[in-house]
Amino acid sequence: MSPGRELLWNQGGHTLLGLLGGLVLLSWGVKLGLWLKTGLPEGDRRRLRFPWEVLTLNGLHLGHLPRRMHRLLLWGFLGLLLATLLVALQDHLGLPVLQGAAYLPFEVLTEFAGLLLLGGLGLAFHLRYLKRAERLQSRPEDALLLALLGLCALEGFLLRGLRLAATHPAWAPWTPLSWGIGRLLSLGGGEGTLTRFHRSLWNFHALTAMGTLALAPWTKLSHAAALPWKRALLRPMAERERIREPRPLESWLEPEACMRCGRCRKPCPIQTREGPFPPETLLGRLKRRHRFIIPAEALWACTGCRACENHCPMGGEHLERILGLRRQAWAAGRVPERVFALAGAQSQHPLPTESLSLEPDTLYLWPGCQTPDPVLQALRQLLEQAGKRLRVLDPPRCCGGRDRFLGHEEAFRQAMALNRAYLEPLRGATLITPCPHCLRTLSHDYGEDWTLLHHTELLARLLEEGSLPQLKAPTLRVTFHDPCFLSRCKGDYQPPRHLLCGTELLEMKQSRAKSVCCGSGGGTVPPGAAARKRLHHALESGAELLVTACPFCREALRSATEAPGKGLPVWDIAELLAQSSLQPR
């Protein structure tokens, strides 16, 4: 006898299945229609990463067990979905895809897919309710979804076991778990009892399975469909520095694609300040369209460090969402007084200006509003020692980077217009700055009329050329704090470490891309606890000197050392190099 079975055995019709299937299609159709309504930008189609990344989950920032869990869930669901589609092909189109040689592999596929799904659900239960990962915040919805999915999978095995026990096919052992369940069930009653139980359970299974599928797009399960779309539109971290208005499709997709994994919570300096409002919560409220119940303290505290984005599995561009909300607040006149006082403050007090001219073999130093004199003096000394001509600029305004991060576009554009006019004679010149915030603004917002370098990049080049002597302090225990706007956002961690190679460099446990924000940046709340936390990391490393390369970080970390029992010198890397160059060799 050729392997096969009667489709929809013991059901008596397609009415219930058709109604429930229509409900699923309607539910997903409405959700997809809302996404498609915004349109997919034509220029992004070339970036689609669907097939490999979606199937393997490679490229997503997941731990070992969470990645395994999601793979099991995904592969199990896709296997069962494929089996359902094959049944539909034969039932509606009459194609004999589930007869003869193709039938046994189909049975094995569905058995294996069901086991994968159950395994993934078991891991999910372990991570959420037994291991209780600190980053996960369990809600009733999470338990309900796990229960529904687990119930659907178990019902599938019970239904197959009942059918095998009632029909006794010769190929039943090909699906050992279902076959074993069927043999156990057959001990409790005859064929008539098994058939009646099967029909009742099938109707209940149809309700739970199709109901879960219809409910999915309106729960956190929507991330399974939205995540591939979000990853398709993913921009590398360096490109995100070009601040722009969020595109409509991304504004819809990002809240839908959020996995609520909590990975954005731990590195967030807002959380360090005990403000319970990580990007995960922000996206959740945006998904529910609760745009005007976001606490002002959380909205204006964000420092723009992008640590949350670096940890986000979906590659979320959270800063873009936050800056968009800040711009909306300015447009609506809902800006706190302290924010209003900060934004545009530099532009209200113009600095003295002078006319510029392009001079050969000259480097131009953009000092930045926050760079202290000792750092500027150290940099002048090092460049003089290297035989470089240096001219310190006196721009008419602050670069405007803080205004832009606070959402005050008008103040930023006024500052940019004045500064660009001031820099116009220097087209083609090399500008250096010790401030990563100025570097970001001048590089990504002002244009590409100049060669822009951070002072660590320039000093590393001079060291490589032999124009500067290497630091020789092998017994000096140093640790380096990576400024967010220089390292994580720019993606280059080597120049400062190259400059420190003559010391005993002790890396903090969270460094480079995983560096913890000091809490200054583009927010409006004093660094406080965030800076103290970072100082604690430096002390744990065993270093006797904490070095950084950002005036904001230098000031924040120095303020943290003023706390009792927290003494640790904090220098800019230029200060260390200049101090070393004065020592006798």
Side-chain angles (χ1 to χ4, degrees):
M1 183 178 177
S2 176
R5 68 175 171 89
E6 178 186 347
L7 295 182
L8 301 180
W9 174 82
N10 194 35
Q11 304 316 309
H14 297 73
T15 304
L16 177 62
L17 196 59
L19 290 173
L20 293 173
L23 176 64
V24 171
L25 291 176
L26 176 63
S27 179
W28 277 101
V30 171
K31 176 64 78 168
L32 292 175
L34 291 173
W35 295 347
L36 290 170
K37 180 181 178 182
T38 59
L40 179 63
E42 191 68 32
D44 289 315
R45 294 182 189 273
R46 57 183 172 80
R47 306 168 97 178
L48 297 181
R49 301 174 175 88
F50 291 163
W52 182 248
E53 186 175 89
V54 172
L55 287 174
T56 64
L57 303 182
N58 290 332
L60 274 67
H61 191 100
L62 295 169
H64 174 67
L65 279 181
R67 187 187 305 277
R68 179 175 294 181
M69 175 199 76
H70 281 90
R71 281 176 174 169
L72 291 175
L73 291 172
L74 175 64
W75 295 343
F77 175 78
L78 290 179
L80 294 174
L81 178 62
L82 175 61
T84 303
L85 292 175
L86 292 175
V87 170
L89 283 175
Q90 180 162 318
D91 187 42
H92 296 288
L93 301 180
L95 300 178
V97 292
L98 300 182
Q99 297 294 331
Y103 178 71
L104 293 181
F106 164 80
E107 289 286 272
V108 173
L109 167 68
T110 51
E111 185 90 348
F112 186 60
L115 289 172
L116 290 179
L117 184 61
L118 281 177
L121 292 171
L123 265 180
F125 182 84
H126 168 76
L127 290 171
R128 185 170 292 277
Y129 298 107
L130 298 181
K131 188 178 179 181
R132 293 181 180 273
E134 182 183 353
R135 59 183 172 79
L136 291 175
Q137 291 187 341
S138 296
R139 307 173 188 178
E141 177 193 348
D142 300 311
L144 176 63
L145 290 175
L146 283 179
L148 284 174
L149 292 171
L151 180 62
C152 291
L154 292 173
E155 288 169 352
F157 282 107
L158 280 172
L159 283 170
R160 175 175 287 170
L162 286 167
R163 176 171 51 81
L164 294 177
T167 57
H168 309 290
W171 46 85
W174 278 75
T175 53
L177 179 58
S178 299
W179 181 51
I181 292 174
R183 289 178 66 87
L184 288 175
L185 292 173
S186 63
L187 299 176
E191 185 174 323
T193 301
L194 296 174
T195 302
R196 287 191 297 273
F197 184 24
H198 177 275
R199 175 170 291 191
S200 300
L201 182 60
W202 190 94
N203 290 329
F204 183 72
H205 176 63
L207 288 170
T208 53
M210 292 298 188
T212 302
L213 285 175
L215 185 67
W218 310 101
T219 67
K220 64 178 292 186
L221 292 179
S222 66
H223 78 263
L227 184 62
W229 288 46
K230 175 65 186 81
R231 297 290 296 184
L233 301 176
L234 186 66
R235 291 192 300 163
M237 190 69 78
E239 286 187 25
R240 300 182 192 185
E241 291 305 298
R242 297 187 182 275
I243 296 175
R244 57 177 174 79
E245 288 287 343
R247 290 172 290 186
L249 182 63
E250 292 171 323
S251 298
W252 272 95
L253 281 179
E254 192 152 298
E256 297 286 351
C258 179
M259 304 168 70
R260 290 212 332 239
C261 64
R263 294 181 183 277
C264 59
R265 188 178 301 113
K266 188 174 182 180
C268 179
I270 300 177
Q271 295 298 287
T272 305
R273 299 194 193 101
E274 299 180 354
F277 205 86
E280 173 192 355
T281 309
L282 168 66
L283 293 175
R285 294 194 177 185
L286 289 178
K287 183 176 181 178
R288 296 188 295 272
R289 306 294 176 258
H290 294 168
R291 292 180 179 273
F292 303 115
I293 55 174
I294 296 171
E297 184 65 26
L299 177 62
W300 299 103
C302 174
T303 64
C305 70
R306 296 192 189 274
C308 57
E309 297 186 9
N310 187 68
H311 287 74
C312 180
M314 71 168 174
E317 300 183 38
H318 308 131
L319 182 59
E320 198 171 79
R321 309 277 89 71
I322 291 170
L323 297 187
L325 291 172
R326 288 179 174 181
R327 286 192 290 268
Q328 291 176 25
W330 277 96
R334 296 193 309 273
V335 180
E337 192 65 35
R338 57 185 174 79
V339 177
F340 189 84
L342 275 175
Q346 293 290 342
S347 61
Q348 294 171 11
H349 303 283
L351 299 172
T353 63
E354 57 180 334
S355 59
L356 295 176
S357 60
L358 186 61
E359 302 172 11
D361 302 320
T362 301
L363 299 171
Y364 296 87
L365 175 64
W366 180 281
C369 302
Q370 302 296 321
T371 307
D373 285 338
V375 176
L376 294 176
Q377 292 171 6
L379 194 50
R380 287 195 195 97
Q381 174 189 321
L382 291 169
L383 294 179
E384 181 180 339
Q385 182 179 350
K388 300 295 182 181
R389 293 184 60 190
L390 180 68
R391 181 167 181 179
V392 180
L393 299 174
D394 187 17
R397 298 285 177 93
C398 160
C399 71
R402 170 166 288 215
D403 292 331
R404 169 152 265 202
F405 270 78
L406 290 177
H408 196 350
E409 280 290 306
E410 181 181 356
F412 165 72
R413 294 192 181 281
Q414 289 176 357
M416 181 174 65
L418 287 171
N419 289 331
R420 282 188 61 86
Y422 171 71
L423 293 172
E424 182 66 24
L426 300 184
R427 282 177 175 268
T430 298
L431 274 59
I432 60 172
T433 179
C435 178
H437 298 251
C438 292
L439 180 72
R440 193 219 67 78
T441 303
L442 295 174
S443 299
H444 296 289
D445 297 332
Y446 277 40
E448 301 177 352
D449 296 329
W450 314 274
T451 299
L452 288 154
L453 297 174
H454 188 255
H455 72 304
T456 57
E457 294 178 277
L458 176 65
L459 295 175
R461 290 184 186 182
L462 296 176
L463 179 63
E464 193 71 29
E465 295 169 0
S467 301
L468 282 178
Q470 182 176 330
L471 237 172
K472 293 184 179 178
T475 61
L476 180 63
R477 300 191 306 277
V478 175
T479 191
F480 181 72
H481 166 70
D482 292 277
C484 301
F485 281 61
L486 177 65
S487 54
R488 181 164 40 244
C489 299
K490 196 169 183 292
D492 189 1
Y493 311 99
Q494 279 310 115
R497 288 168 172 80
H498 183 55
L499 293 170
L500 295 172
C501 63
T503 68
E504 184 182 352
L505 181 59
L506 305 172
E507 295 282 9
M508 286 182 262
K509 64 180 181 180
Q510 291 171 303
S511 61
R512 299 177 185 262
K514 295 183 178 181
S515 178
V516 175
C517 178
C518 72
S520 51
T524 62
V525 180
R532 290 192 294 272
K533 178 180 179 180
R534 193 55 173 159
L535 181 63
H536 178 69
H537 293 164
L539 291 167
E540 280 186 332
S541 72
E544 55 187 318
L545 178 64
L546 173 55
V547 177
T548 187
C550 169
F552 287 93
C553 296
R554 180 183 181 273
E555 179 62 28
L557 294 170
R558 282 197 166 200
S559 67
T561 64
E562 297 172 2
K566 297 291 184 181
L568 187 66
V570 182
W571 287 5
D572 186 274
I573 199 167
E575 294 177 281
L576 176 60
L577 292 171
Q579 182 72 19
S580 175
S581 68
L582 295 176
Q583 302 299 324
R585 300 283 177 184

